Amino acid sequence: GYTAMAGSAKMTALHDVMVEKGVMGQLLFWISFAELFGTIALFDTLEGKRAPGDFKFDPMGMGKKDMASMQLKEIKNGRLAMMGIGGMTHGYFITGKGPLELLGNFNN
């Protein structure tokens, strides 16, 4: 399981453990593979062939209803996610505990 591989390493030390185990190489490979498609989309956007964020994947037809509203929701969702990750990271640096550990000690 996870503890057998990572031991008691937490947040910042976990990176070094995962590099030693070879996990980060796989992660780099698959993220690079996904970024390839993002780069293709970026060049299409710069050439005016598509709108930013429009990957032509809308199986439920939600973009046809109100595209401007959906784009605004996506921007707000992304900003909120970035603030959440920043809060978890800074909380760890201040307290030395991850977000789940802090939730477990909420009453103390």
Side-chain angles (χ1 to χ4, degrees), residues 21-92:
K21 302 287 183 180
V23 174
M24 298 303 273
Q26 283 187 356
L27 191 61
L28 178 65
F29 173 77
W30 290 110
I31 289 175
S32 300
F33 182 71
E35 284 291 322
L36 176 66
F37 295 104
T39 304
I40 293 168
L42 173 67
F43 286 123
D44 283 349
T45 302
L46 293 174
E47 292 172 2
K49 296 179 183 176
R50 59 182 281 286
D54 183 14
F55 290 97
K56 306 291 185 213
F57 180 76
D58 190 12
M60 295 177 19
M62 296 178 78
K64 295 175 185 173
K65 297 174 187 168
D66 186 11
M67 187 58 121
S69 171
M70 296 301 282
Q71 288 173 336
L72 180 61
K73 289 176 187 176
E74 182 68 22
I75 289 171
K76 288 183 175 182
N77 182 33
R79 289 178 180 166
L80 185 61
M82 287 187 283
M83 290 189 325
I85 292 293
M88 287 188 284
T89 304
H90 285 86
Y92 173 77

